[in-house]
Amino acid sequence: MHGIVKGRPFEAFVEKMMQGEATGVMMYYALARLAKEQGLDEVSKEFMAIGNEEAFHSGFYAVLKGAYPQDFWNLVRSLQKVEAAGEEKIKAISDEFRAAGLSEAADEMAVFARQEGGHGFRLEALINRFAPEETSVEGRKVYRCPVCGYEYVGDLESEPDDYVCPLCGQPKKAFVLKK
């Protein structure tokens, strides 16, 4: 089903659904947190369950749209680097929150920081176990996203004008030629 809506009349609909469902994930998770803070544990669990379903829906629409490469291992390699580096970045921000007197938020962010690092280890294990050997980029163009570090290998100009970084959403024009 990868990319089956590209160039079809309902491509815009699928794009809206993908974004709407992704926003729904954030909303339902926030509602779950607010409900939990108010002692409404059963309500919180239901909001989390709905949020999980919304996440699955968003992923489905992303596949229909071809939002991520079907040959996903280069993307996963980039994700692994971003997740591993995210631990230190979020820990530093957590320290700033703590210094500003926001200890409760800082405590949770410190947990999130460790989880991000854990994501990096988990992705590395998946890469080591399942990914094919990384193909050489010698003689090929490599474009780097200046925000998150994602590397696009190949002819970026062949992508449509609305192409965005699959990790952080930066537009194609933000990418910088590395090689």
Side-chain angles (χ1 to χ4, degrees):
M1 287 193 286
H2 184 265
I4 64 171
V5 302
K6 284 190 181 237
R8 295 185 180 220
F10 34 79
E11 182 177 8
F13 167 79
V14 169
E15 170 76 25
K16 288 178 185 172
M17 293 301 294
M18 180 183 79
Q19 294 300 326
E21 297 285 346
T23 299
V25 173
M26 180 175 49
M27 178 188 66
Y28 281 112
Y29 278 31
L31 290 173
R33 174 148 198 113
L34 293 169
K36 186 139 184 97
E37 287 178 359
Q38 295 173 30
L40 301 169
D41 290 346
E42 187 174 339
V43 172
S44 178
K45 287 178 187 175
E46 283 301 315
F47 286 150
M48 287 296 290
I50 294 169
N52 289 339
E53 290 170 2
E54 296 285 66
F56 191 79
H57 301 163
S58 183
F60 170 77
Y61 291 120
V63 168
L64 292 181
K65 186 178 181 312
Y68 302 101
Q70 194 168 17
D71 180 10
F72 55 80
W73 286 111
N74 284 336
L75 174 61
V76 173
R77 285 181 178 95
S78 288
L79 280 169
Q80 187 280 324
K81 293 172 190 169
V82 169
E83 295 282 7
E87 181 170 7
E88 287 304 314
K89 290 177 182 177
I90 294 172
K91 174 70 172 86
I93 294 169
S94 167
D95 292 343
E96 290 179 28
F97 271 58
R98 190 171 316 287
L102 305 171
S103 295
E104 188 176 358
D107 290 345
E108 288 215 36
M109 289 176 73
V111 170
F112 297 164
R114 287 191 300 277
Q115 288 173 336
E116 293 294 336
H119 297 163
F121 284 117
R122 290 163 66 186
L123 290 172
E124 183 176 34
L126 289 172
I127 291 165
N128 290 340
R129 186 166 175 208
F130 296 106
E133 288 295 316
E134 199 166 0
T135 56
S136 172
V137 297
E138 189 174 321
R140 297 168 67 190
K141 291 182 179 179
V142 177
Y143 297 85
R144 190 168 194 277
C145 175
V147 174
C148 70
Y150 172 72
E151 293 184 350
Y152 180 99
V153 178
D155 182 14
L156 187 61
E157 295 307 314
S158 69
E159 294 290 348
D161 290 341
D162 64 349
Y163 176 84
V164 296
C165 176
L167 300 183
C168 71
Q170 289 299 304
K172 174 170 103 168
K173 66 182 178 188
F175 279 71
V176 176
L177 184 61
K178 183 177 173 184
K179 286 188 178 182

